């Protein structure tokens, strides 16, 4: 478990860097494009390749591939792992090329149809960025192989290349070349494609240092068949998840021209702590779970699962409390400039509050689904995702009228809660010791320490509000000082309550 904690720390550090660069990207796009229809159209268009990324890359296929890679490594060594990676990549490239041709044709038809101008605009941008799907899907498979070899750093940096490329492209477009919103948006699309290329090439070179050599191989082994069989139900589950996102953004786009962008920015703030800690935890836990199953060490499996859940709570609960307390200051500091107005900040803050409440549940789902995937059960997560999708759609339609974008955020949260409960209950029916009762004491200490932290954060923020002047420096102090004070109080509170950090991590 000590090694597990160290790996989580490494991935968290690199993921933090990725998220910080991601925030810089969002600050740049909000400055350049604001909450305009062009920004909402790009976000809607870029959702499409990311849908297939989750279907074919980071989602279903990776989940089906990882247990088989672990078994190949356990039984036949690295050469067999490299062979399976090449076979999987070869078929993946063919599938991605076919899908790209179909989607580009469909988007062309949509452009020529009698639709609202903003939907035609989203289709036009979609034709530019959809080929990104091939780049990121290949990158996801390469990153999975690196994770198997305990090379967690490079995969954790994947998003850095995309976000850095977008920041640089928008910087060139905005600060050096000028141009209208349309021109800047096309530069944004170009930056996304360059970033995708880097996302594929960097892990490829890293895996080559592990002895892998790319080879086009359409051979069908028993492992390839098993990966395909496990991928099919996983595709449905990942499809439901991504369609869920697309439906929410589509409904938001229908609410107003700015709603999709505001929901996106609010969700990005929540994704920072969730991505840094929860995704890092599940990324490191996944190979450990698959290795435990491959070695028939189910006691280790149960222990790793509980540890993953506890570590998610350890980070998600204080992050949610802090984000709720500082939402106005954080949104103002990061986004309120250029075309992103004070009114946009006011509209974003309630969305941040709602999404923050759901942070622990988003974290749980990430660990729980990987527990199922390590058991080669890709069907149960599909059912849970389908139920969550139905809950989200029904609640969204009921709440978007009276509550607008806030109603959509509430629906998303409630769906995540339903999915979390379903997954944990189903995992407990597999004759595994996955009970969380032993964590009750630590959970209570985490909650009390987070409540104390929240009180201190609000107190420090209130004290500084009468002393800090408006401006970048003042706003930065208003955000960073309460965060640093809150972190210190939280971990000190845990220590005083008997929840020793070393014990929690080990």
């Amino acid at each position: 478990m000590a090694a597990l904690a160290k790996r989580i720390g490494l991935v968290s550090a690199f993921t933090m860097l990725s998220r910080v660069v991601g925030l810089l990207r969002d600050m740049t796009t909000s400055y350049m494009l604001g909450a305009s229809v062009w920004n909402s159209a790009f976000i809607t268009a870029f959702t499409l390749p990311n849908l297939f990324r989750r279907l074919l890359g980071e989602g279903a296929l990776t989940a089906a591939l990882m247990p088989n890679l672990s078994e190949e490594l356990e039984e036949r060594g690295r050469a067999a792992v490299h062979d399976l990676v090449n076979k999987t990549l070869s078929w993946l490239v063919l599938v991605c090329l076919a899908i790209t041709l179909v989607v580009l044709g469909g988007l062309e038809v949509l452009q020529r149809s009698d639709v609202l101008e903003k939907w035609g605009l989203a289709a036009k941008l979609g034709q530019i960025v959809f080929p990104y799907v091939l780049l990121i899907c290949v990158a996801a498979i390469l990153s999975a192989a690196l994770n198997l070899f305990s090379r967690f750093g490079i995969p954790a940096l994947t998003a850095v290349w995309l976000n850095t490329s977008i920041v640089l492209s928008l910087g060139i477009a905005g600060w050096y070349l000028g141009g209208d919103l349309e021109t800047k948006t096309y530069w944004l699309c170009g930056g996304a494609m360059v970033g995708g290329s880097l996302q594929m090439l960097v892990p490829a070179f890293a895996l080559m240092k592990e002895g892998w050599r790319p080879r086009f191989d359409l051979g069908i082994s028993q492992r390839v068949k098993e990966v395909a069989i496990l991928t099919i139900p996983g595709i449905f589950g990942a499809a439901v998840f991504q369609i869920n996102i697309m439906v929410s953004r589509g409904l938001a786009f229908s609410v107003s021209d700015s709603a999709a962008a505001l929901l996106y920015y609010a969700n990005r703030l929540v994704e920072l702590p969730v991505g840094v800690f929860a995704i890092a935890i599940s990324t490191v836990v996944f190979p450990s779970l698959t290795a435990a199953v491959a070695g028939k060490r189910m006691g280790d499996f149960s222990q790793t699962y509980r540890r993953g859940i506890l570590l998610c709570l350890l980070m998600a609960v204080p992050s949610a409390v802090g984000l709720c307390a500082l939402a106005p200051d954080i949104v103002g500091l990061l986004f309120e400039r250029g075309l992103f107005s004070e009114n946009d900040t006011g509209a974003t803050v309630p969305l941040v509050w709602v999404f923050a409440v759901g942070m622990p549940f988003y974290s749980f789902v990430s660990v729980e689904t990987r527990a199922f995937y390590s058991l080669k059960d890709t069907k149960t997560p599909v059912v849970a995702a389908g139920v969550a999708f139905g809950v989200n759609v029904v609640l969204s339609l009921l709440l978007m009228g009276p509550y607008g974008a806030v109603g959509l955020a509430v629906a998303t949260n409630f769906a995540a809660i339903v999915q979390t409960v379903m997954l944990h209950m189903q995992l407990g029916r597999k004759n595994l010791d996955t009970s969380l009762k032993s964590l009750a004491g630590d959970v209570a200490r985490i909650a009390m320490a987070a409540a104390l932290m929240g009180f201190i954060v609000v107190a420090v923020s209130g004290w500084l509000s009468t002393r800090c002047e408006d401006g970048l420096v003042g706003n930065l102090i208003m955000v960073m000082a309460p965060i640093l004070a809150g972190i210190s109080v939280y971990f000190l509170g845990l220590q005083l309550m008997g929840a020793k950090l070393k014990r929690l991590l080990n």
Side-chain angles (χ1 to χ4, degrees):
M1 285 297 168
L4 183 68
K6 290 179 181 179
R7 291 168 184 169
I8 291 173
L10 174 66
V11 176
S12 295
F14 282 127
T15 307
M16 171 65 82
L17 175 61
S18 297
R19 297 295 176 172
V20 169
V21 179
L23 280 177
L24 180 60
R25 159 194 163 181
D26 292 336
M27 292 168 65
T28 305
T29 54
S30 66
Y31 179 84
M32 295 289 185
L33 303 176
S36 66
V37 66
W38 281 94
N39 198 1
S40 288
F42 172 79
I43 291 171
T44 303
F46 204 46
T47 300
L48 193 56
N50 282 296
L51 162 65
F52 287 95
R53 178 198 75 186
R54 296 299 294 267
L55 294 179
L56 302 174
E58 297 175 359
L61 181 55
T62 302
L65 181 63
M66 183 63 82
N68 284 282
L69 289 178
S70 292
E71 290 179 358
E72 287 287 81
L73 184 62
E74 182 92 9
E75 297 171 6
R76 300 172 56 199
R78 291 198 172 207
V81 171
H82 297 158
D83 182 62
L84 182 55
V85 167
N86 280 325
K87 286 182 169 66
T88 304
L89 283 176
S90 299
W91 284 104
L92 177 63
V93 168
L94 289 182
V95 171
C96 285
L97 289 175
I99 291 174
T100 299
L101 291 175
V102 173
V103 171
L104 293 183
L107 292 174
E108 181 65 28
V109 172
L110 181 60
Q111 280 192 78
R112 298 173 183 270
S113 302
D114 184 19
V115 295
L116 292 176
E117 183 179 355
K118 62 182 180 182
W119 290 108
L121 176 60
K124 185 176 182 179
L125 297 179
Q127 287 182 310
I128 299 174
V129 299
F130 190 81
Y132 171 81
V133 69
L134 173 61
L135 305 174
I136 193 59
C137 283
V138 171
I141 301 304
L142 297 173
S143 295
L146 287 172
N147 285 335
L148 181 70
F149 296 142
S150 298
R151 291 284 304 277
F152 296 104
I154 295 297
L157 288 171
T158 297
V160 169
W161 318 126
L162 173 67
N163 294 326
T164 300
S165 297
I166 288 177
V167 170
L168 292 176
S169 65
L170 278 177
I172 294 172
W175 288 310
Y176 291 99
L177 300 180
D180 55 15
L181 290 176
E182 179 178 3
T183 301
K184 293 174 182 176
T185 304
Y186 287 135
W187 274 91
L188 174 59
C189 294
M193 295 306 296
V194 172
S197 300
L198 292 174
Q199 286 179 300
M200 179 184 67
L201 293 173
V202 172
F205 284 119
L207 191 59
M208 289 177 70
K209 291 184 178 180
E210 297 293 325
W212 170 74
R213 292 296 180 267
R215 186 179 75 256
F216 190 74
D217 184 357
L218 293 177
I220 302 178
S221 64
Q222 185 59 38
R223 288 290 184 196
V224 172
K225 292 179 182 179
E226 187 169 3
V227 169
I229 292 172
L230 290 173
T231 298
I232 292 172
I235 285 177
F236 286 103
V240 169
F241 177 79
Q242 288 300 309
I243 291 171
N244 203 2
I245 294 176
M246 292 190 69
V247 168
S248 295
R249 288 181 179 174
L251 291 174
F253 207 21
S254 300
V255 168
S256 69
D257 288 347
S258 63
L262 297 179
L263 273 169
Y264 171 79
Y265 288 128
N267 194 47
R268 288 287 286 177
L269 287 180
V270 173
E271 285 180 352
L272 175 60
V274 170
V276 168
F277 301 116
I279 303 303
I281 291 167
S282 60
T283 297
V284 175
V285 161
F286 191 23
S288 298
L289 291 172
T290 57
V293 173
K296 296 179 173 57
R297 301 184 301 274
M298 304 317 293
D300 290 348
F301 177 94
S302 299
Q303 185 180 3
T304 301
Y305 172 74
R306 279 193 292 270
R307 187 61 55 190
I309 293 294
L310 180 60
L311 290 174
C312 283
L313 278 173
L314 181 69
M315 300 303 181
V317 173
S319 297
V321 172
L323 192 55
C324 285
L326 295 174
D329 295 322
I330 292 175
V331 174
L333 172 66
L334 296 178
F335 302 131
E336 194 178 309
R337 57 182 56 81
L339 294 178
F340 197 95
S341 67
E342 184 178 352
N343 290 335
D344 293 327
T345 296
T348 304
V349 168
L351 302 177
V352 175
W353 288 337
V354 174
F355 281 131
V357 172
M359 284 175 59
F361 301 100
Y362 304 145
S363 304
F364 292 161
V365 169
S366 183
V367 174
E368 289 169 341
T369 52
R370 282 163 174 77
F372 281 101
Y373 294 153
S374 65
L375 295 167
K376 294 187 177 181
D377 179 358
T378 55
K379 295 180 181 178
T380 301
V382 174
V383 176
V387 172
F389 171 65
V391 170
N392 187 37
V393 170
V394 172
L395 287 180
S396 293
L397 293 173
L398 291 174
L399 299 177
M400 64 183 286
Y403 302 108
V406 173
L408 296 176
V410 170
T412 300
N413 269 9
F414 195 81
I417 293 172
V418 171
Q419 187 177 11
T420 299
V421 173
M422 282 192 64
L423 286 172
H424 183 69
M425 290 177 63
Q426 291 298 319
L427 191 62
R429 295 177 180 176
K430 290 185 173 291
N431 296 320
L432 295 169
D433 180 17
T434 56
S435 172
L436 302 180
K437 292 180 181 179
S438 61
L439 305 182
D442 288 325
V443 171
R445 295 183 186 94
I446 289 171
M448 289 186 289
L452 177 62
M453 182 207 75
F455 174 79
I456 296 298
V457 167
V458 171
V460 173
S461 179
W463 184 79
L464 288 173
S465 64
T466 61
R467 291 165 172 80
C468 291
E469 298 181 358
D470 289 336
L472 178 60
V473 175
N475 293 339
L476 187 61
I477 293 173
M478 283 287 295
V479 170
M480 294 307 301
I483 288 177
L484 294 175
I487 291 173
S488 301
V489 169
Y490 174 66
F491 286 107
L492 178 61
L494 286 176
Q495 293 289 101
L496 294 176
M497 293 176 195
K500 303 298 184 182
L501 188 59
K502 185 176 181 180
R503 179 179 62 80
L504 291 176
L505 293 177
N506 293 293

